[in-house]
Amino acid sequence: MLPRRLRSLLFAPAVRPDLLRKMPRTGADAIVIDLEDATPHDAKDTGRVEMRSAVADLAGQLPILVRVNDDTTPWHDDDLDSLPTEGLAGIVVPKIETIASLDSLAARLTDRGLDMPVIGGVETALGVADARPLLAHDMVSAAYFGAEDFIADLGGVRTASNDEVAYARAQVALAGRLADVTVIDQIVADFTDDDRCRRECLQARAMGYGGKLCIHPSQVAIANEAFLPSSEEIDRARRLLEAYDDAKAQGVASVALEGQMVDEPVARQARRVLAQADD
Ligand code: COA
Ligand code: MG
């Protein structure tokens, strides 16, 4: 089962048992042992062995997911064969693109007795274009947006501005909302840039994202804080709803608070802030 919150999803390569053993102290909402991009082609077998041993060691300490290679690669089936049926919170499947491949994933998991949630990666041109039906598929319990792979596939240029991913990032958030699944935002590759990480987390939350893919423990604390309302936001939401309810009691549905108009959509946002804070 996926954890209630997916604010921080911390990755480590399957071939780095030293990093995997440090995962419990990071405070991540969930961790991902990566058999895909972070495990070299010629080390997939070793990666699977290390993954199983890490799951055995870490099970029960925190929610563990494994990212497998996608079904266009020669490693997909062996990755699925290697997954333990116990001890995992879910499977991360990168580069989801078609309904047919999600259908076939469902059959492959059933065949192997792997009854667990899937987090799908939307990180190709086709995946982004078809995000809405893909995220609505029964197999998909949550999704992430992968900016680096998306831009590589698109043939664009990745920049710190994020302008080139604005459309795709928003499209995935919209698809997540319509499918009622949590969406998780792109990585920040420069793990020394805390400001960028914080800025992106806040931006992602504003767009409807519930969390961030993390590659370094320093990003976990930033994401865990950024994806919950701050105390200032909570205070303001309370004041706002009080003013709005008073106004409604007097027969008006819009009122001024601290120089800003408050009406029903603004009140709805405030209710959501309070609900998130209580969650
Ligand atoms: N998970 C758990 N612990 C990690 C970690 C991770 N992903 N990344 C770093 N750490 C640990 C380090 O081992 C170190 O521990 P120590 O204090 O006991 O020495 C501490 O956090 C600080 O790490 P630091 O020295 O700043 O980084 P590094 O040079 O060891 O590692 C990377 C940098 C990028 C190689 C590493 O963070 C990494 O492999 N990240 C995951 C990459 C990945 O999975 N990519 C695929 C998904 S996009
Ligand atoms: Mg990738």
Side-chain angles (χ1 to χ4, degrees):
M1 211 173 74
L2 292 179
R4 194 167 46 87
R5 285 179 178 152
L6 286 169
R7 296 168 304 174
S8 51
L9 204 56
L10 177 62
F11 279 75
V15 287
R16 293 286 308 271
D18 56 324
L19 296 190
L20 296 173
R21 302 285 177 300
K22 292 176 188 172
M23 293 297 220
R25 69 178 196 209
T26 62
D29 281 343
I31 62 162
V32 182
I33 303 176
D34 192 19
L35 291 170
E36 200 218 12
D37 291 340
T39 292
H41 292 182
D42 60 2
K44 299 294 185 189
D45 289 336
T46 319
R48 292 183 198 111
V49 173
E50 296 288 3
M51 175 274 289
R52 288 185 67 92
S53 134
V55 175
D57 284 0
L58 299 174
Q61 297 188 52
L62 77 178
I64 308 169
L65 297 109
V66 175
R67 182 163 75 173
V68 298
N69 291 276
D70 75 74
D71 66 0
T72 67
T73 68
W75 308 294
H76 183 69
D77 283 315
D78 289 344
D79 285 352
L80 294 181
D81 285 340
S82 75
L83 294 176
T85 51
E86 301 288 322
L88 289 184
I91 308 173
V92 179
V93 178
K95 303 180 179 81
I96 59 168
E97 288 197 316
T98 66
I99 296 297
S101 80
L102 289 175
D103 288 344
S104 112
L105 177 67
R108 283 166 145 120
L109 296 186
T110 305
D111 285 350
R112 292 167 173 85
L114 293 167
D115 178 19
M116 55 183 87
V118 167
I119 299 184
V122 181
E123 45 187 348
T124 61
L126 187 56
V128 167
D130 288 350
R132 185 175 176 187
L134 291 172
L135 267 53
H137 193 283
D138 277 350
M139 277 308 289
V140 176
S141 298
Y144 70 84
F145 171 59
E148 314 304 320
D149 276 297
F150 171 66
I151 287 300
D153 187 41
L154 185 72
V157 179
R158 191 78 183 95
T159 73
S161 75
N162 285 324
D163 288 350
E164 71 284 5
V165 293
Y167 166 78
R169 211 172 162 205
Q171 161 100 336
V172 172
L174 186 65
R177 153 70 182 84
L178 292 172
D180 195 21
V181 299
T182 299
V183 284
I184 306 157
D185 190 40
Q186 65 200 16
I187 59 149
V188 173
D190 181 355
F191 58 83
T192 64
D193 194 344
D194 288 356
D195 290 343
R196 174 165 178 183
C197 184
R198 191 171 295 106
R199 198 165 58 241
E200 284 199 15
C201 286
L202 293 174
Q203 205 172 45
R205 179 174 159 235
M207 294 171 77
Y209 279 87
K212 187 101 177 140
L213 301 181
C214 301
I215 53 150
H216 190 277
S218 63
Q219 299 179 332
V220 168
I222 296 173
N224 284 352
E225 189 185 333
F227 284 97
L228 281 181
S230 65
S231 50
E232 292 79 28
E233 269 180 282
I234 296 168
D235 285 351
R236 182 167 159 78
R238 289 207 179 104
R239 286 200 308 280
L240 192 152
L241 287 173
E242 227 174 79
Y244 181 62
D245 289 342
D246 283 353
K248 277 201 305 190
Q250 287 163 34
V252 264
S254 71
V255 65
L257 178 79
E258 295 152 17
Q260 288 192 30
M261 191 242 343
V262 176
D263 64 356
E264 180 54 29
V266 179
R268 252 181 98 187
Q269 292 168 41
R271 281 183 214 113
R272 188 171 153 73
V273 164
L274 296 185
Q276 272 184 322
D278 280 348
D279 190 20

